[in-house]
Structure formats: C-alpha cells, structure tokens
Amino acid sequence: MPNSRPALDCPIVFAYAPNAVLIGFISSFIGGLISMFALGALGLVIIIPGVVPHFFLGATSAVFGNSTGGRRGAILGSFVNGIIISFLPVALLPVLGKVGVANTTFSDTDFSLSGLFIAKVQEFVGGVGLTAVLVGILAIMIIWTVATKNKKVVQSTQAKVH
C-alpha cells in the first residue's frame, strides 16, 4: 500500500547488542525461575517460565538496559523483566476468568497491563461503560489518523507549489 510503514518487533534491536541478547535471556529466565518458586511459596498460582517470552522480552530489555547501564543494566533490567512477566499474569488470571477464559495466561507485559487497566475501568463504569470507553478510544484513534493524514497531504501539496 502507498505510504505504509512496516511493523517492527523487538528483535529489531538485537543487532545493536548481540551479547546483551544472550545475557538478557539468561537473566530473565533466572528471574522467571525464582518467581516460580516464590509464587509457590506464597501459595499463588505458579507460572512456569516460558522460553519464548523470556527470550524476546528479556533480550530486548537487556539491549536497552545495556545502552543505559552497561552490563549491570542489562542483567538487572532483564532479571526484573523476568519477575514482572511472572507476576503480572497471576494478577490478570481473575480478570480472564470473568470473561470466560479461566486458567489462561499470556506472558507479555503489554497484554497484562492493558488487561488489568481494562478490568479496573470496568469496575468503575460497568460493562456498558467499558464498551463506551473502548469505542471512544477507537473513535479518537480514527479521527487522529484521518486528521494527521489530511495534514500530511496539505503539507506535501504546499511543498510542491513552492
């Protein structure tokens, strides 16, 4: 399509710090293993560390941690990521149970955080209110897209005239 942009995922940053990628995976996975035992000790649902999320998210957090904090930033950032992607799904489980997908987890932080946000909105405004909020957000996104597209067309037309 004309003027389309490719979507890029986290592996796009792997080339900037290849050593941090491996360090990040290992540190994140260790964080996940420690979290698994901690969840068991706390009597909570145990999340078994998944290799794929720990690799992709841990490696990405290590690349960014490496760029700002060196080796220590890579290790600590990805270790904390391993803990986060182990505990957030536990917090999201009751929400997913209410919508009919009980005992289902997703290890991405974006899914867990947005799911928890949506659950809190629903607590305050109910199901119909949540639907209205989500439709409103969608409408804002559509309006924003149309407005910025028209602005770009006007700017490119003005550039050609001069």
Side-chain angles (χ1 to χ4, degrees):
M1 296 190 76
N3 299 323
S4 63
R5 292 183 215 144
L8 304 173
D9 203 2
C10 45
I12 196 73
V13 300
F14 289 1
Y16 294 105
N19 291 337
V21 170
L22 187 57
I23 291 169
F25 165 64
I26 294 168
S27 298
S28 180
F29 196 74
I30 290 170
L33 288 172
I34 291 171
S35 296
M36 180 179 71
F37 291 115
L39 288 166
L42 293 170
L44 298 172
V45 174
I46 297 173
I47 302 295
I48 298 170
V51 174
V52 173
H54 283 285
F55 176 74
F56 283 104
L57 301 176
T60 304
S61 61
V63 170
F64 285 99
N66 183 55
S67 70
T68 57
R71 188 179 307 133
R72 183 179 301 157
I75 293 168
L76 290 176
S78 54
F79 180 80
V80 170
N81 169 75
I83 293 171
I84 290 172
I85 67 174
S86 297
F87 276 87
L88 276 180
V90 173
L92 189 61
L93 277 174
V95 175
L96 294 174
K98 289 179 185 176
V99 296
V101 286
N103 300 325
T104 302
T105 61
F106 300 93
S107 294
D108 287 331
T109 51
D110 54 352
F111 181 84
S112 296
L113 289 174
S114 60
L116 290 170
F117 171 76
I118 289 172
K120 289 298 178 188
V121 170
Q122 185 178 9
E123 280 182 23
F124 290 117
V125 296
V128 174
L130 176 62
T131 302
V133 167
L134 294 176
V135 168
I137 291 171
L138 179 64
I140 289 169
M141 290 169 59
I142 291 171
I143 291 167
W144 184 276
T145 301
V146 170
T148 56
K149 183 177 181 180
N150 289 339
K151 185 177 178 182
K152 288 178 187 176
V153 169
V154 169
Q155 287 175 347
S156 66
T157 318
Q158 290 173 348
K160 289 178 184 178
V161 172
H162 292 76

